[in-house]
Amino acid sequence: MSSPSTPLLEVRDLRIGFPNPRGGEVFPVDGVSFRLDRGETLALVGESGCGKSLTSLALLQLLPPPGRVLSGSSIKLEETEILSLRGEALRAIRGRRIAMIFQDPMTSLNPVLTVGSQVVEALTAHRRWSRADAKARTIALFEEVGIPDPAQRFAAYPHHLSGGLRQRIMIAMALAGEPDILIADEPTTALDVTVQAQILELLDRLRAARGMAVLLITHDLGLVAGRADRVAVMYAGQIVEEAGTTDLFERPSHPYTRGLFRSIPRLHESVLRLSPIPGTVPLPSAWPSGCRFHPRCAEVLARCSTEAPLNTELETTGPARRTRCWLASPLPPRA
Amino acid sequence: MRGSLKRVFATAWHTPSGQVGAVTLLLIALVAVTITPFLPDPRIMPDLSGGAAPPSFAHPFGTDAFSRDILSRVVHGARVSLSIAALAVALSISLGAAVGTTAGYFGGWVDAVLMRSVDAAMAIPRLFILLLLVLVWERIPPAALVAVIGATGWFATSRLVRGEVLRLRELDYIRAAKALGAGSPGIIFRHVLPNTLGPLIVAATLGVGEVILLEAGLSFLGLGIAPPTPTWGGMVHDSESLMATAPWTGLFPGAAIVITVLAVNLWGEAMRAAVDPRTA
């Protein structure tokens, strides 16, 4: 009985802890909140080590041990609190409500089983199928994800297929449970540039056809344009800016986002040198005080090193925008 | 794995080493079954005063210290030695795979308890455990011998499998299967166990040779199959004192052991390559 305003997925104050080998605990994901609505694509963008992949793994309780989600965190799928699920109840969500595809299709398929049997496995994880029906359904899924000669591919082994075809097989496996949400964790990073565009187009077509929501995890802001409805930019375990894609591209409000844009090569502008963001992403064991971006920020203020900026809501005509920066102009106080 | 087990056998058969190994094993089995009835009873000592006679037309492999026909004893011994080796290895491999998989996949305290128990068991010499059993059985029945050899032979296998499972369970495709809702039994039987078959087959082929020789040692201690029932290991052992004067008493059963172990290893190597579709 979800009201129209209830999001499909709502993550609130997600914190993930890992024991620090040198004692204590570190928090690579430290207070992440976002929502995902039916049928939309949200891109979670950030550099390596910002916590975006851990965030996505936590959604299915797949954190590698000894990682843990801290109490006080909440991940709600409609009315269900995913973090409190165990055993069979959790298995019923995985693949059936939320499915996930991973970065490297070379290693995400079992090398000793045929790709057909692996899709059949994903089908039978949630429902009984006769052997013939499961095979027919698998071939139909192969067709849906654009695999040529789907019937012949059923008996192929992963090493017979190219990277792009393997990623399509992974997508077919993810679709087998008819999920409401598809998490794509860097789905094109391991692929050739020409194949990247095809896979992203396929994901978008499937999202539209099936009314799925897509959570696209990527480090590449360039991939996001035209494909995501909204973008959340992560830095050092936090979402530093969240906006509609058009808003974000037209007027990025966080200095980190602006820095990311400056470091993307552009065809139409004659820039002699790209300007990368100086320095490197801090380690979770040494998150800077105040604003976590301040040591690398080009527009740093005195207060940035001591006071953490609030998550400020900005004025917009599009989807809600928020930014964690002292420079952002807040909304005028409500009457 | 249903249809693919047939494929693995077919692939293994189509390699040179697989063919040599399989044909040799089949020949040994065939000979053991077909010519047995035409040979003299290997247990009867026809002439106690005769002693060991060299190979002749009447006794192609010669006779042993009790004038028993060695050909007959080698052929009869094949039944005993091979069935004990096959059953004991099957038992120890299954136990090792079960314990190793459980420990590696579930980790945590399950792993700690199982592996520390294995460490403790490995600290006790196998022969010592077997010696204790003389107290229980004066003459050990073959079924008990199989159980004892199998039950004391899986420790190293379980470690091997555990290590492999530890590596496998972190792999992307196991995580991917979990993400799509596969349960633990499904993951273990479909993704983990088939991928441990390579090391398991190697362990099994090595195990067959080991068990044949172990049975020989046990016979010497009076723990193995009781005389006068012939076993290869027992025959090699009995020949020890005659090596200088009647070398044929040890040569033929020894050759039978070498050929069998070699054939098992060749077949095992072919199987190992065949379970990995990337090399098939």
Side-chain angles (χ1 to χ4, degrees), chain A residues 15 44 101-102 107 119 160 184 207 209 214 226 265 294 318 324 328:
Chain A
R15 298 184 79 206
L44 201 54
I101 57 174
F102 295 94
T107 56
V119 179
H160 294 146
R207 178 197 56 80
V214 174
H294 85 262
R324 272 179 204 272

Side-chain angles (χ1 to χ4, degrees), chain A residues 91 94 102 107 110 121, chain B residues 172-173 175 178 180-181 191:
Chain A
R91 217 164 69 70
R94 291 176 176 168
F102 295 94
T107 56
N110 187 335
E121 181 190 0
Chain B
D172 287 350
Y173 60 82
R175 190 181 57 177
K178 264 191 208 162
L180 296 179
H191 295 295

Side-chain angles (χ1 to χ4, degrees), chain B residues 56-212:
Chain B
S56 62
F57 188 74
H59 303 289
F61 285 5
T63 62
D64 68 5
F66 304 108
S67 302
R68 294 177 297 197
D69 181 49
I70 290 180
L71 173 62
S72 171
R73 288 180 66 77
V74 167
V75 170
H76 275 91
R79 294 173 149 189
V80 183
S81 291
L82 289 184
S83 46
I84 286 178
L87 291 173
V89 165
L91 181 64
S92 72
I93 291 293
S94 312
L95 283 171
V99 173
T101 308
T102 312
Y105 187 79
F106 292 103
W109 66 267
V110 178
D111 183 33
V113 169
L114 288 173
M115 284 302 113
R116 290 304 77 75
S117 313
V118 165
D119 287 346
M122 280 181 105
I124 307 169
R126 192 176 185 181
L127 213 53
F128 177 74
I129 304 176
L130 295 169
L131 276 173
L132 284 180
L133 292 159
V134 194
L135 300 174
V136 185
W137 286 288
E138 202 153 321
R139 277 285 155 236
I140 196 162
L145 187 68
V146 166
V148 165
I149 294 178
T152 53
W154 57 268
F155 309 130
T157 310
S158 76
R159 275 191 174 174
L160 188 77
V161 172
R162 170 180 172 270
E164 191 67 10
V165 171
L166 280 182
R167 184 181 70 78
L168 288 166
R169 74 165 189 186
E170 301 301 329
L171 289 185
D172 287 350
Y173 60 82
I174 305 279
R175 190 181 57 177
K178 264 191 208 162
L180 296 179
S184 293
I187 291 174
I188 289 174
F189 286 106
R190 277 181 61 82
H191 295 295
V192 176
L193 274 181
N195 282 295
T196 62
L197 278 182
L200 272 185
I201 288 172
V202 174
T205 48
L206 294 174
V208 168
E210 199 186 316
V211 169
I212 290 177

Side-chain angles (χ1 to χ4, degrees), chain A residues 132-199:
Chain A
D133 286 350
K135 184 170 180 180
R137 180 79 190 113
T138 299
I139 292 170
L141 283 168
F142 281 3
E143 207 157 2
E144 191 178 348
V145 298
I147 292 170
D149 298 325
Q152 275 74 57
R153 298 285 191 246
F154 187 88
Y157 283 90
H159 66 277
H160 294 146
L161 306 176
S162 68
L165 277 185
R166 280 190 251 204
Q167 194 57 290
R168 285 175 198 268
I169 301 277
M170 287 301 302
I171 295 171
M173 280 172 71
L175 293 180
E178 316 258 328
D180 300 317
I181 300 174
L182 179 65
I183 304 172
D185 186 0
E186 304 259 7
T188 61
T189 307
L191 304 177
D192 292 344
V193 184
T194 46
V195 182
Q196 288 187 358
Q198 293 172 9
I199 294 290

Side-chain angles (χ1 to χ4, degrees), chain A residues 19 23 31 57 100 112 117 133 223 240 281 310 317 329-331:
Chain A
L57 289 171
M100 191 159 180
V112 305
S117 73
D133 286 350
L223 284 185
V240 293
V281 183
L310 303 170
T317 50
S329 55
L331 284 176

Side-chain angles (χ1 to χ4, degrees), chain A residues 221-251:
Chain A
L221 205 48
L223 284 185
V224 165
R227 295 203 174 87
D229 302 299
R230 292 188 300 121
V231 182
V233 180
M234 272 189 88
Y235 185 79
Q238 296 176 330
I239 292 180
V240 293
E241 174 163 14
E242 192 186 343
T245 310
T246 327
D247 264 356
L248 189 91
F249 276 68
E250 282 176 0
R251 38 189 190 101

